[in-house]
């Protein structure tokens, strides 16, 4: 898994540059929580939050409703995933 992770990721979680605006991270899904959106234009749809964990650290991930509908069958605790997305501090 480590060689595949090296090929896919832009950096480890600990090494994400402070100025980076997006990244591809590879790690283990932990703390997955799925919830129904209660306000706004996506009310009634589902979204997810989880923590991605590699050997160097952790990072919170939010999966909004449109993407969640596409990847929901791939999101489970204790699975290794590659996540590409925008970063916020």
């Amino acid at each position: 898994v480590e060689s595949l992770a090296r090929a896919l990721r832009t950096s480890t979680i600990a090494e994400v540059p402070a100025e980076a605006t997006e990244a591809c991270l590879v790690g283990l899904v932990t703390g997955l929580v799925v919830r129904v959106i209660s306000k706004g234009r996506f009310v009634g749809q589902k979204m997810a939050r989880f923590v991605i964990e590699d050997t160097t650290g952790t990072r919170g991930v939010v999966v909004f409703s449109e993407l969640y509908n596409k990847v929901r069958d791939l999101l489970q605790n204790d699975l290794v995933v590659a996540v590409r997305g925008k970063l916020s501090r």
Side-chain angles (χ1 to χ4, degrees), residues 16-35:
V16 173
E19 67 278 0
T21 57
E22 60 180 54
C24 182
L25 304 173
V26 177
L28 191 69
V29 174
T30 61
L32 177 65
V33 175
V34 176
R35 68 177 197 93

Side-chain angles (χ1 to χ4, degrees), residues 42-77:
F42 296 104
V43 68
Q45 295 185 35
K46 292 182 180 178
M47 64 177 287
R49 290 180 184 265
F50 65 91
V51 174
I52 188 168
E53 177 180 325
D54 69 12
T55 58
T56 68
T58 62
R59 184 97 186 199
V61 177
V62 177
V63 182
F64 294 107
S65 60
E66 283 186 52
L67 179 58
Y68 177 77
N69 288 330
K70 295 176 185 175
V71 301
R72 67 177 166 234
D73 295 334
L74 304 173
L75 283 180
Q76 296 178 25
N77 282 317

Side-chain angles (χ1 to χ4, degrees), residues 3-17:
S3 63
L4 181 58
R6 266 189 248 113
L8 294 174
R9 70 184 179 214
T10 55
S11 70
T12 65
I13 291 171
E15 296 170 339
V16 173

